[in-house]
Amino acid sequence: MRLDGGVEDRPEPFELTDGQVVVRPWRPEDAGWVTDACQDTGIQRWTTVPSPYTRADAEWFVGELAPSAWADGTALHGAVVDPGSGEGLGSVALGFHAPVPGVGEAGYWTAPNRRRRGVASAALDLVVEWGFGEAGLHRVELLIDPRNAASRAVALQSGFVSEGVLRRRGTLRGVVHDVEVFAVLRP
Ligand SMILES: CC(C)(COP(=O)(O)OP(=O)(O)OC[C@H]1O[C@@H](n2cnc3c(N)ncnc32)[C@H](O)[C@@H]1OP(=O)(O)O)[C@@H](O)C(=O)NCCC(=O)NCCS
């Protein structure tokens, strides 16, 4: 099934793995660890999650936003979990249907106590591969605040190329900031 020409069918459930991490659909029971992880100042500083972040925010995310985006054919929102224990490690997303056909946009966070172990870059690699295959994308972008050194490092680790800085292009929590565009192209 290809999704690049529009939403022909509801996508099949996904489960992506490289043996190091599993990316699977969010489940109601994930709300607890998502709530804990999203208390992190880094996640609140660099992503669009609500701040302060409550259990109700997590329940809405895993129970409503993520499944409806998948059903609508607009985005894959995945829980990143340990393949053996099933422990929650992080979050990854790939918007694959808007605003430019064939161009996806990815995002991610890793639970604070599971960082610097390759979780984000592994999850990003998996959704990019899925995007180039199942979703028929030819380009995936990351829009990163240039001050976010960790996220820039993840992008470079996963083969993204910096294409430049759009000055004052973003606004987060009412504060205007620069946006660095990273992209990877389908081989
Ligand atoms: C950015 C973030 C997702 C990185 O997650 P992670 O799982 O620790 O990243 P990885 O372990 O896959 O790291 C990939 C590469 O980036 C490097 N890296 C990770 N964090 C880094 C940091 N704080 N400073 C410098 N390099 C860093 C790693 O060393 C690794 O490269 P290397 O192992 O070859 O040296 C995590 O710090 C986070 O959740 N931050 C808050 C949310 C956020 O910024 N999301 C992105 C918004 S654009």
Side-chain angles (χ1 to χ4, degrees):
M1 172 184 34
R2 296 181 70 84
L3 305 171
D4 50 336
V7 186
E8 296 91 12
D9 301 301
R10 175 176 293 218
E12 300 300 320
F14 62 88
E15 179 159 304
L16 315 174
T17 189
D18 62 353
Q20 182 192 355
V21 299
V22 170
V23 176
R24 58 145 173 86
W26 289 101
R27 299 172 184 161
E29 58 266 31
D30 295 319
W33 67 265
V34 170
T35 307
D36 292 343
C38 289
Q39 304 310 310
D40 172 62
T41 52
I43 294 175
Q44 295 203 5
R45 178 178 182 192
W46 299 119
T47 78
T48 58
V49 300
S51 181
Y53 196 92
T54 67
R55 171 90 187 200
D57 294 319
E59 289 174 352
W60 173 78
F61 172 65
V62 303
E64 295 185 38
L65 182 141
S68 65
W70 181 251
D72 292 348
T74 54
L76 178 158
H77 289 273
V80 186
V81 303
D82 182 274
S85 66
E87 179 191 357
L89 306 175
S91 171
V92 69
L94 178 68
F96 51 83
H97 195 56
V100 183
V103 179
E105 181 186 340
Y108 40 76
W109 54 254
T110 300
N113 61 346
R114 301 309 300 258
R115 289 183 184 157
R116 306 303 297 256
R117 301 177 198 182
V119 169
S121 47
L124 180 60
D125 290 347
L126 285 169
V127 298
V128 166
E129 185 181 359
W130 181 88
F132 288 153
E134 289 293 311
L137 301 178
H138 56 255
R139 170 184 168 96
V140 176
E141 295 179 344
L142 295 167
L143 304 179
I144 299 176
D145 186 319
R147 297 170 296 180
N148 189 348
S151 188
R152 293 185 81 263
V154 170
L156 296 169
Q157 174 86 9
S158 289
F160 283 70
V161 173
S162 174
E163 297 183 339
V165 176
L166 304 178
R167 296 171 300 161
R168 298 185 190 170
R169 177 62 173 75
T171 305
L172 188 57
R173 305 189 209 293
V175 179
V176 175
H177 63 90
D178 294 346
V179 171
E180 187 169 3
V181 180
F182 286 82
V184 65
L185 305 181
R186 184 167 60 199

